Amino acid sequence: MVRTKVEIKRIEDKAKRHTTFTKRRQGLFKKAKELVKRCDAQAAVITFSLAGNIFAFGHPSVDSVVNRYTAAPEQDEEAEKKGEDGVVDEETKEDEETGMFEVPVKDMDMEELEKLNVAMEEMKKKVVDRINGIVSSSKNEEDLGLP
């Protein structure tokens, strides 16, 4: 079966445009998930519909990828200012912190296990806070009669 080349142009029929947007968005997210799995990469995809709805996919999360991207120029400037003075920059610290999740627990010493425990507790608090925020916002929408 041969695919025909589709000319890229605006779809005038609103219903067809919405259907195409939905299918293409799902395909784009699927490709991003595949890229993340196969290449152990970080990725974020954000799309906005014509109605103003936001759809996002991110690994490990959209916020972390966006924050890392927007903070990158600032980190580069700091590294240039510091030069070769031996000061560890924030990116190196972040790599060391995320690296602790890649080491098997049985190979960690007591200090590393304590750091891992603290990191897991912080992560747990963030997850609980996020869940509480989602629950409270959905309750507020219900109270206001929003869908």
Side-chain angles (χ1 to χ4, degrees):
M1 184 173 202
V2 179
R3 291 188 182 187
T4 60
K5 185 170 182 169
V6 177
E7 183 182 346
I8 304 297
K9 62 179 182 178
R10 181 177 171 84
I11 300 171
E12 297 301 326
D13 183 14
K14 192 174 180 179
K16 286 183 181 178
R17 187 170 54 238
H18 177 71
T19 302
T20 301
F21 171 78
T22 302
K23 288 180 180 180
R24 294 245 174 156
R25 183 190 74 236
Q26 290 171 347
L28 183 62
F29 287 179
K30 185 176 179 181
K31 289 291 185 185
K33 287 177 190 175
E34 186 177 329
L35 178 67
V36 166
K37 279 185 182 179
R38 289 183 180 215
C39 301
D40 193 29
Q42 292 185 357
V45 178
I46 303 170
T47 59
F48 300 87
S49 71
L50 251 139
N53 297 327
I54 300 171
F55 301 92
F57 164 79
H59 178 77
S61 73
V62 174
D63 290 336
S64 67
V65 175
V66 170
N67 289 340
R68 185 172 182 180
Y69 175 76
T70 56
E74 295 168 8
Q75 289 176 352
D76 291 342
E77 290 172 9
E78 289 175 14
E80 288 175 8
K81 289 178 185 174
K82 291 178 184 174
E84 299 283 328
D85 61 1
V87 176
V88 178
D89 64 357
E90 292 299 318
E91 188 172 324
T92 305
K93 287 180 185 177
E94 182 179 307
D95 289 345
E96 290 173 0
E97 289 172 4
T98 57
M100 81 172 76
F101 294 109
E102 296 173 2
V103 177
V105 175
K106 65 182 179 182
D107 296 341
M108 292 183 178
D109 61 15
M110 193 59 168
E111 183 179 324
E112 290 173 323
L113 286 170
E114 288 172 356
K115 286 181 182 178
L116 178 63
N117 187 34
V118 169
M120 296 294 278
E121 289 295 326
E122 288 176 13
M123 189 183 316
K124 181 180 173 183
K125 288 177 186 175
K126 288 179 182 178
V127 169
V128 169
D129 289 344
R130 179 74 175 133
I131 290 170
N132 290 337
I134 292 170
V135 169
S136 66
S137 68
S138 66
K139 285 182 181 179
N140 290 340
E141 288 176 0
E142 289 173 7
D143 293 342
L144 296 172
L146 298 174

